[in-house]
């Protein structure tokens, strides 16, 4: 809340400032805060000190801002403010939680500042009414003094003509301050001084000023670095930048007749309409009328506003503000603001406060009491038989401008603007009583609100902060006056005051109370701030923080703020992750996946959906099917971006790597009369330790007989089938042209069917030639060139919901060398509308074993088998170390004789034994 000053410029004056890509009002923005203390006298003639006083100068517009345009501006401001890259977050430890939480929320601060600045002036308060008006003309005009007269008449017409209800003016006798703008590089300085002397004679030395600017041409040396203090202010008011810089500066450099085509930064053009030197009809927050429904702020495409801000920022990055100004010019502007404030504005405010005070003192006697008595006599009471519901439509009385109650409010607002909070509180408190007596609820709520702020800001805190004043004001604004904008301002102020006193619980309750369905953006921001209140308490309430971050993320998503929604869900995930709240985790991961996909963060989207699928889900079958389809859809889009990239890991089905079995040799063919491999082992039989031991002993006896009773030290029992019980510490031997069968154990953790197609083994092979030299060429996934290793492909493999099933995949080595079986590769899909097969559930689209996939993606899973834990040496016993498991790394040897048997030979062999 700072004193507001209007600016009314001639066309020529506006042209001079436009050379710097700035309007006159924007030219002053970086220098509008005083660097020294100022003093003034209060009505009791006591010296009052004002510190860090700031004034707000803006061009006059005669139309209030549209609510839709304000919503768009706020939406753009929040979209354009994101966490800084590489920002180190605060680590908050609360119980078992270590949370990385953003230390600041610049998007909320930008929203709050923009919201307060964009509020239209109201009749029930005077804080943002114009106290003064700067009338600006150029020294290069033919008759500058005459131009000042025209500007003065125009200001008077705007303020006092009934055709203009906007903007609002503080008092009828507005301070007029005459500014002569002189272009140093192009103007006649002697003429400017002469005109200024004439102005001082006419307006007084304290009512006018000669401001010299543009000391340098825009063709300044490239190595000269002049600071640009305007950029930080212009980026905040993005709507104004969009409406001006998209058209204005471009015409300066490209159009010879640029003087007639310039657009003011406050939405004022230079056409003369109805005698106005500027077009006051368009407010800077006025939306352009368009027949395109997609341009509506209330339309479905909320992302448009966010993108427009980014495009505007990109377009403005190359613009140099103040290109014609030197550091001396900066000092001149700063000095001008100080002179205006010291000699013009503050004496005017001091005089106004004294006049208001004198009026109130004189009216406190007979006239005031007579007025009250007359009103009581004729009405019997203040508002007879009128309940609070009867006031809801009108929000109470409408006072005439000269009403004593409004004069008290004016005096209170003036005192507040100049930081005289003691006197302001007294006036607000008095006004509050009068407004409540008259049941003027809107006026009463405004007085309560500012009385609470004044009490808080009083030096030395003579009285506690009256939070109940704010609560009453909020309830009145929201429930009786139906004015959510004023209620929101009240909440924003009160929450900051409560947080500054470490009353986080009360602040959170206040913020949550104002969330509603009428504004998703406001609700999201307030819920997020409430969450931060919960985590900043002396005893942090972590779960409440997470819960309200989820609510905030949901509302951000509804408001079209996808990045902020994703950030909120990621923040909350820190609390829910790994705590056994699987349904909550699923919801958060699903939303993170959706939002990441929308923002084209595809890797994050895949990761989030993957987490849903790999956890032991407690969702229903239908929900699991939806999660799986979302994952497949997102993954398919990711894979299309890099079709030649490496195959990524698929989360489903689960593979029990330790249960993998490897069989070397041909399958047994037990049909009568056929020959079969002379072995007792097959994949169809369970492992029997006693039988394995018997065969091992029998083999040792045979070797012993062959070697004259001695078993060689390098002897190892033959193992045709390797599993978790066998000794897998050595590289197994496989023979060229004999198949290697790998049995992989799959498990489907979901309640929906998984459909795998083109399932085969993933391998790596180091061939060896007969010269003994290694060929380091690596073959992977060779399906069309099976000259090294042939691979069997299972075209269709179905796994029902929550079913465990094994797949037997074969490799056919055609060359000696080292083979490494890495994993399995397949297409993962699901059949829509089915849960199970094999007669349990109907499968639409199934015809004689052929299934129609709803969607599928290609990927792989690695087979990583952990070897046995080592427990032989002392070091191994005192640490956790595991030995190798070589069952998937066979060495392919040259062809060997294969012993086969028939049933007859087997019978004779049995008799002999």
């Amino acid at each position: 809340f700072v004193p507001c000053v209007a600016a009314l410029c001639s066309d020529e004056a506006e042209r001079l400032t436009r050379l710097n890509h700035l309007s006159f009002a924007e030219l002053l923005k970086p220098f509008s805060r005083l660097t020294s203390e100022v003093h003034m006298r209060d009505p009791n003639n006591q010296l009052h000190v004002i510190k860090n006083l700031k004034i707000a100068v803006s061009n006059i517009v005669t139309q209030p801002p549209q609510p839709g345009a304000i919503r768009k501006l706020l939406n753009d401001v929040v979209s354009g403010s994101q966490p800084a890259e590489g920002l180190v977050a605060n680590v908050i430890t609360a119980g078992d939680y270590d949370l990385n939480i953003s230390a600041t929320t610049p998007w909320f601060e930008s929203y709050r500042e923009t919201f307060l600045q964009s509020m239209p002036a109201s009749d029930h308060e005077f804080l943002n009414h114009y106290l003064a008006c700067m009338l600006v003309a150029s020294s290069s005009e033919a008759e500058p003094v005459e131009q000042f007269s025209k500007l003065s008449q125009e200001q008077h017409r705007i303020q006092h003509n009934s055709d203009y209800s906007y903007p609002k003016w503080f008092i009828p006798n507005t301070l007029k301050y005459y500014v002569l703008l002189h272009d140093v590089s192009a103007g006649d300085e002697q003429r400017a001084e002469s005109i200024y002397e004439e102005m001082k004679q006419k307006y007084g030395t304290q009512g006018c000023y000669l401001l010299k600017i543009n000391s340098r041409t825009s063709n300044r040396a490239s190595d000269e670095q002049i600071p640009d203090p305007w950029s930080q202010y212009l980026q905040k008011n993005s709507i104004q930048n969009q409406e001006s810089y998209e058209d204005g500066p471009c015409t300066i450099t490209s159009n010879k007749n640029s003087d007639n085509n310039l657009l003011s930064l406050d939405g004022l053009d230079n056409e003369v309409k109805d005698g106005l030197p500027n077009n006051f009809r368009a407010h800077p927050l006025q939306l352009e009328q368009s027949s395109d429904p997609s341009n509506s702020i209330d339309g479905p495409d909320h992302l448009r506003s966010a993108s427009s801000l980014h495009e505007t920022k990109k377009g403005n990055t190359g613009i140099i503000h103040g290109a014609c100004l030197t550091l001396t010019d900066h000092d001149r502007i700063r000095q001008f603001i100080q002179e205006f404030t010291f000699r013009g504005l503050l004496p005017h405010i001091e005089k106004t406060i004294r006049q208001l005070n004198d009026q109130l003192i004189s009216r406190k006697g007979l006239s005031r009491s007579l007025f009250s008595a007359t009103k009581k006599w004729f009405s019997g009471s203040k508002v007879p038989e009128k309940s609070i519901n009867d006031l809801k439509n009108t929000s109470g009385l409408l006072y005439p401008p000269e009403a004593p109650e409004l004069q008290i409010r004016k005096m209170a607002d003036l005192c507040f603007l100049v930081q005289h909070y003691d006197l302001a509180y007294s006036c607000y408190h008095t006004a509050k009583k009068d407004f409540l007596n008259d049941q003027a609820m809107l006026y009463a709520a405004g007085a309560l609100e500012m009385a609470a702020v004044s009490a808080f800001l009083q030096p030395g805190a003579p009285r506690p902060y009256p939070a109940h004043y704010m609560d009453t004001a909020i309830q009145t604004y929201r429930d009786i006056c139906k004015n959510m904008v004023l209620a929101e301002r009240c909440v924003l102020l009160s929450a900051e005051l409560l947080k500054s006193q470490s009353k986080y619980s009360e602040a959170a309750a206040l913020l949550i109370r104002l969330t509603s369905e009428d504004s998703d953006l406001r609700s999201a921001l307030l819920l997020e701030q409430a969450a931060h209140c919960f985590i900043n308490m002396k005893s942090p309430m972590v779960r409440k923080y997470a819960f309200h971050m989820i609510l905030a993320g949901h509302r951000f998503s509804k408001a079209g703020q996808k990045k902020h929604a994703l950030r909120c869900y990621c923040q909350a995930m820190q609390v829910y992750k790994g705590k056994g709240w699987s349904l909550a985790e699923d919801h958060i991961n699903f939303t993170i996946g959706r939002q990441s996909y929308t923002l084209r963060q595809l890797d994050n989207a895949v990761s989030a959906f993957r987490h849903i699928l790999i956890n032991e889900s407690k969702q229903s079958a239908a929900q699991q099917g939806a999660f799986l389809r979302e994952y497949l859809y997102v993954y398919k889009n990711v894979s299309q971006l890099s079709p030649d990239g490496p195959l990524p890991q698929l989360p489903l089905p689960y593979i029990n790597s330790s249960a993998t079995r490897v069989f070397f040799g041909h399958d047994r063919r037990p049909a009568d009369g056929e020959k079969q491999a002379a072995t007792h082992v097959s994949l169809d039989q369970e492992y029997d330790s006693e039988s394995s031991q018997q065969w091992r002993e029998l083999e040792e006896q045979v070797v012993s007989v062959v070697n004259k009773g001695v078993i060689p030290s390098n002897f190892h029992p033959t193992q045709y089938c390797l599993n978790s019980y066998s000794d897998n510490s050595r590289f197994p031997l496989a023979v060229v042209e004999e198949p290697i069968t790998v049995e992989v154990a799959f498990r489907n953790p979901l309640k929906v069917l998984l459909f795998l197609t083109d399932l085969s083994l993933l391998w790596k092979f180091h061939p060896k030639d007969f010269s003994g030299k290694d060929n380091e060429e690596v073959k992977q996934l060779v399906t069309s060139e099976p000259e090294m290793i042939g691979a069997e492909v299972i075209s269709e493999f179905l796994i029902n919901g929550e079913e465990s099933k094994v797949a037997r995949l074969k490799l056919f080595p055609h060359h000696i060398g080292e083979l490494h079986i890495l994993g399995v590769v397949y297409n993962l899909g699901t059949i829509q509308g089915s849960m199970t097969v094999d007669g349990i559930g109907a499968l639409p689209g199934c015809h004689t074993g052929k299934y129609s996939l709803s969607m599928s993606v290609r990927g792989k899973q690695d087979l990583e088998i952990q070897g046995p834990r080592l427990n032989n040496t002392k070091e191994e016993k005192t640490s956790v170390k595991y030995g190798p498991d070589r069952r998937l790394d066979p060495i392919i040897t040259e062809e060997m004789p294969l012993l086969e048997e028939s049933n007859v030979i087997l019978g004779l062999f049995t008799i002999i034994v």
Side-chain angles (χ1 to χ4, degrees):
F1 298 109
V2 297
C4 295
V5 178
L8 191 56
C9 303
S10 68
D11 296 342
E12 183 63 19
E14 195 67 35
R15 185 189 69 82
L16 291 184
T17 60
R18 186 68 59 195
L19 296 175
N20 298 286
H21 298 164
L22 297 165
S23 74
F24 178 76
E26 287 182 328
L27 183 71
L28 307 181
K29 276 188 183 296
F31 313 102
S32 59
R33 185 180 295 278
L34 301 185
T35 55
S36 59
E37 293 182 353
V38 259
H39 303 82
M40 61 174 285
R41 297 280 178 178
D42 64 13
N44 296 323
N45 209 32
Q46 297 295 317
L47 194 65
H48 172 62
V49 179
I50 307 172
K51 298 179 180 179
N52 298 318
L53 179 64
K54 180 182 178 183
I55 62 172
V57 182
S58 59
N59 287 0
I60 295 177
V61 288
T62 57
Q63 291 292 329
Q66 291 181 341
I70 294 177
R71 288 198 300 270
K72 182 178 185 300
L73 170 60
L74 294 173
N75 202 51
D76 287 348
V77 165
V78 175
S79 297
S81 181
Q82 301 291 337
E85 292 290 336
L87 182 67
V88 179
N90 282 354
V91 178
I92 294 181
T93 302
D96 298 334
Y97 301 93
D98 289 322
L99 307 177
N100 290 319
I101 295 175
S102 176
T104 59
T105 51
W107 47 91
F108 173 73
E109 290 155 14
S110 298
Y111 171 89
R112 184 183 60 209
E113 182 178 350
T114 306
F115 171 81
L116 294 174
Q117 289 180 352
S118 63
M119 285 189 68
S122 173
D123 287 325
H124 81 285
E125 62 184 13
F126 305 92
L127 289 162
N128 53 356
H129 290 202
Y130 284 135
L131 277 163
C133 182
M134 293 180 180
L135 304 176
V136 188
S138 170
S139 62
S140 61
E141 300 190 45
E143 296 290 339
V145 177
E146 184 179 338
Q147 184 65 49
F148 280 126
S149 298
K150 290 180 181 179
L151 292 173
S152 179
Q153 292 169 12
E154 192 54 51
Q155 186 277 330
H156 186 274
R157 189 168 74 91
I158 293 172
Q159 179 173 354
H160 298 287
N161 194 321
S162 59
D163 294 340
Y164 297 99
S165 60
Y166 200 87
K168 306 290 184 182
W169 303 88
F170 206 98
I171 57 174
N173 186 22
T174 300
L175 170 68
K176 295 178 183 178
Y177 196 79
Y178 300 87
V179 182
L180 183 65
L181 210 57
H182 176 63
D183 190 325
V184 176
S185 60
D188 184 347
E189 187 164 352
Q190 187 174 357
R191 181 174 185 267
E193 293 288 351
S194 174
I195 296 170
Y196 182 49
E197 288 298 324
E198 185 180 351
M199 290 170 59
K200 286 193 288 187
Q201 293 295 326
K202 185 174 182 179
Y203 305 120
T205 56
Q206 297 187 351
C208 58
Y209 195 85
L210 172 60
L211 177 59
K212 300 177 182 180
I213 61 170
N214 297 350
S215 296
R216 298 292 296 270
T217 61
S218 57
N219 301 323
R220 114 176 2 142
S222 59
D223 58 344
E224 186 178 356
Q225 296 293 328
I226 298 292
D228 178 7
W230 291 275
S231 56
Q232 57 178 322
Y233 295 94
L234 299 183
Q235 287 179 0
K236 292 177 181 178
N237 300 320
S238 57
I239 290 289
Q240 296 174 11
N241 292 346
Q242 290 176 33
E243 293 189 353
S244 60
Y245 286 132
E246 288 175 1
D247 300 320
C250 299
T251 59
I252 290 176
T253 55
S254 62
N255 195 330
K256 293 181 180 178
N257 301 319
S258 60
D259 295 0
N260 299 323
N261 292 285
L262 300 179
L263 286 180
S264 163
L265 283 122
D266 285 332
L268 311 179
D269 63 28
N270 290 288
E271 297 179 17
V272 178
K273 295 185 179 179
D274 302 327
L276 277 69
N278 296 284
N279 175 19
F280 299 101
R281 299 185 183 279
H283 192 275
L285 296 183
Q286 190 86 14
L287 283 175
E288 293 181 3
Q289 297 297 325
S290 172
S291 58
D292 184 4
S294 66
N295 288 344
S296 170
I297 183 62
D298 297 320
D301 189 9
H302 295 286
L303 295 178
R304 183 178 169 274
S305 59
S307 62
S308 68
L309 177 62
H310 296 153
E311 290 170 5
T312 305
K313 284 190 174 182
K314 289 178 183 177
N316 291 345
T317 51
I319 294 176
I320 300 176
H321 304 106
C324 301
L325 302 177
T326 63
L327 292 178
T328 304
D329 290 330
H330 292 193
D331 292 336
R332 287 171 177 159
I333 299 171
R334 191 177 290 109
Q335 182 65 31
F336 160 65
I337 293 292
Q338 290 205 351
E339 285 292 314
F340 165 73
T341 308
F342 289 178
R343 296 176 176 270
L345 183 62
L346 285 179
H348 175 69
I349 292 176
E350 184 176 334
K351 177 183 174 183
T352 305
I353 291 177
R354 286 183 181 277
Q355 289 176 348
L356 290 171
N357 187 61
D358 292 342
Q359 290 177 22
L360 294 174
I361 291 174
S362 64
R363 291 186 181 184
K364 278 182 180 178
L366 180 62
S367 61
R368 188 98 193 270
S369 60
L370 181 62
F371 172 76
S372 302
T374 305
K375 192 160 58 171
K376 287 182 181 180
W377 178 267
F378 287 103
S379 63
S381 63
K382 289 291 181 182
V383 183
E385 304 297 328
K386 185 173 284 191
S387 67
I388 220 161
N389 293 325
D390 297 323
L391 298 170
K392 287 187 178 179
N393 293 329
T394 62
S395 299
L397 303 174
L398 290 176
Y399 293 99
E402 67 278 0
E405 292 84 356
L406 289 191
Q407 304 310 310
I408 300 178
R409 175 65 202 241
K410 280 186 180 181
M411 182 173 171
D413 286 344
L414 266 184
C415 293
F416 187 91
L417 291 173
V418 294
Q419 304 174 13
H420 201 319
Y421 300 118
D422 292 339
L423 187 54
Y425 175 80
S426 300
C427 294
Y428 284 128
H429 197 269
T430 303
K432 179 254 305 182
K433 292 179 179 179
D434 291 339
F435 292 141
L436 287 176
N437 288 336
D438 294 338
Q439 294 197 10
M441 303 309 293
L442 178 63
Y443 295 87
L448 282 167
E449 175 187 6
M450 296 312 299
V453 179
S454 300
F456 176 81
L457 292 174
Q458 285 183 45
R463 55 177 59 87
Y465 168 61
H468 60 286
Y469 278 17
M470 279 293 196
D471 294 339
T472 306
I474 294 168
Q475 184 180 0
T476 304
Y477 282 142
R478 184 186 61 188
D479 299 336
I480 299 178
C481 305
K482 305 297 183 185
N483 193 322
M484 290 300 293
V485 174
L486 292 173
E488 181 177 354
R489 182 184 72 178
C490 214
V491 166
L492 292 176
L493 293 174
S494 185
E496 294 305 318
L497 304 186
L498 289 169
K499 285 192 287 185
S500 69
Q501 302 173 73
S502 299
K503 296 180 179 179
Y504 292 107
S505 180
E506 293 88 338
L510 191 65
L511 293 163
I512 295 168
R513 196 193 313 167
L514 202 68
T515 57
S516 60
E517 293 302 319
D518 66 313
S519 173
D520 290 314
L521 182 61
R522 180 187 70 231
S523 299
L525 290 163
L526 296 185
L527 284 167
E528 183 184 15
Q529 289 303 304
H532 281 277
C533 287
F534 288 125
I535 204 66
N536 285 320
M537 289 181 180
K538 190 174 182 181
S539 298
M541 305 177 77
V542 179
R543 285 179 290 183
K544 277 199 172 185
Y545 161 78
F547 179 68
H548 285 85
M549 288 299 280
I550 293 292
L551 295 178
H554 175 65
R555 298 305 291 270
F556 271 128
S557 181
K558 289 180 67 178
Q561 300 282 346
K562 304 299 182 185
K563 288 185 179 180
H564 287 296
L566 177 60
R567 176 184 50 76
C568 286
Y569 276 98
C570 291
Q571 290 278 312
M573 191 60 175
Q574 300 178 90
V575 176
Y576 289 102
K577 189 175 183 180
K579 300 297 180 183
W581 299 340
S582 61
L583 296 180
E585 270 195 79
D586 288 348
H587 168 75
I588 297 172
N589 273 315
F590 181 76
T591 308
I592 289 175
R594 275 272 182 92
Q595 300 290 3
S596 299
Y597 178 77
T598 304
L599 295 169
R600 309 307 296 167
Q601 300 176 10
L602 300 182
D603 291 338
N604 291 342
V606 171
S607 176
F609 283 118
R610 178 186 174 87
H611 275 98
I612 301 177
L613 299 176
I614 62 176
N615 289 332
E616 293 293 338
S617 176
K618 297 179 181 178
Q619 303 281 0
S620 65
Q623 190 65 57
Q624 289 180 358
F627 287 158
L628 179 58
R629 286 191 296 273
E630 289 273 353
Y631 171 79
L632 296 176
Y633 178 78
V634 171
Y635 177 82
K636 198 173 187 70
N637 282 271
V638 174
S639 59
Q640 288 173 354
L641 295 178
S642 54
D644 299 328
L647 286 174
Q649 297 283 337
L650 291 175
L652 295 173
Y654 289 178
I655 293 180
N656 185 2
S657 296
S658 62
T660 302
R661 298 196 294 169
V662 184
F663 180 76
F664 301 98
H666 297 278
D667 292 336
R668 297 181 65 184
R669 297 184 292 274
D672 289 344
E674 290 187 8
K675 292 182 179 181
Q676 61 180 329
T679 176
H680 69 292
V681 181
S682 77
L683 290 173
D684 294 324
Q685 66 186 30
E686 295 292 333
Y687 176 77
D688 185 349
S689 57
E690 293 184 4
S691 173
S692 297
Q693 182 65 25
Q694 290 176 1
W695 281 98
R696 187 181 302 109
E697 293 173 355
L698 188 60
E699 185 177 9
E700 289 176 355
Q701 293 175 17
V702 172
V703 172
S704 177
V705 170
V706 170
N707 290 280
K708 300 178 181 179
V710 179
I711 298 178
S713 59
N714 60 351
F715 166 75
H716 300 291
T718 303
Q719 296 185 104
Y720 285 101
C721 183
L722 302 180
N723 51 40
S724 56
Y725 302 103
S726 57
D727 181 9
N728 304 321
S729 59
R730 290 174 295 275
F731 293 98
L733 297 179
V735 182
V736 168
E737 305 302 339
E738 292 189 17
I740 302 171
T741 306
V742 179
E743 182 183 270
V744 182
F746 293 104
R747 180 172 73 86
N748 179 7
L750 304 182
K751 299 171 185 174
V752 295
L753 177 142
L754 294 180
F755 191 17
L756 278 55
T757 57
D758 297 336
L759 174 63
S760 61
L761 289 170
L762 184 67
W763 46 268
K764 181 171 63 175
F765 184 63
H766 295 272
K768 289 189 176 182
D769 55 24
F770 291 104
S771 64
K773 295 181 180 180
D774 291 344
N775 182 359
E776 289 300 327
E777 181 183 5
V778 176
K779 301 282 185 178
Q780 281 192 337
L781 296 175
V782 179
T783 54
S784 58
E785 302 176 8
E787 65 274 2
M788 291 290 181
I789 303 290
E792 179 188 37
V793 178
I794 299 178
S795 59
E796 294 179 352
F797 188 77
L798 289 92
I799 311 176
N800 286 328
E802 300 180 334
E803 179 189 21
S804 296
K805 192 173 183 180
V806 298
R808 292 176 183 173
L809 303 165
K810 291 184 179 180
L811 295 177
F812 302 94
H814 304 307
H815 199 283
I816 62 172
E818 297 176 0
L819 176 64
H820 303 279
I821 301 170
L822 304 176
V824 291
V825 59
Y826 55 93
N827 298 319
L828 172 63
T830 184
I831 303 173
Q832 197 162 2
S834 67
M835 302 299 173
T836 55
V837 293
D838 300 332
I840 301 175
L843 281 173
C846 300
H847 303 287
T848 61
K850 301 293 183 182
Y851 304 102
S852 59
L853 277 175
S854 62
M855 188 183 301
S856 67
V857 296
R858 189 156 187 81
K860 66 178 181 179
Q861 281 201 67
D862 294 334
L863 289 173
E864 298 176 347
I865 304 175
Q866 189 180 66
R869 181 175 176 179
L870 301 177
N871 200 29
N872 296 323
T873 66
K874 181 179 180 181
E875 181 184 357
E876 292 172 352
K877 290 179 180 179
T878 56
S879 60
V880 180
K881 291 186 178 181
Y882 295 92
D885 192 300
R886 312 283 193 190
R887 75 182 90 167
L888 297 177
D889 304 315
I891 296 175
I892 312 300
T893 63
E894 296 179 355
E895 291 183 316
M896 298 182 183
L898 177 64
L899 177 63
E900 293 183 332
E901 41 122 352
S902 65
N903 291 338
V904 177
I905 297 175
L906 182 59
L908 293 173
F909 180 75
T910 304
I911 295 172
I912 294 170
V913 172

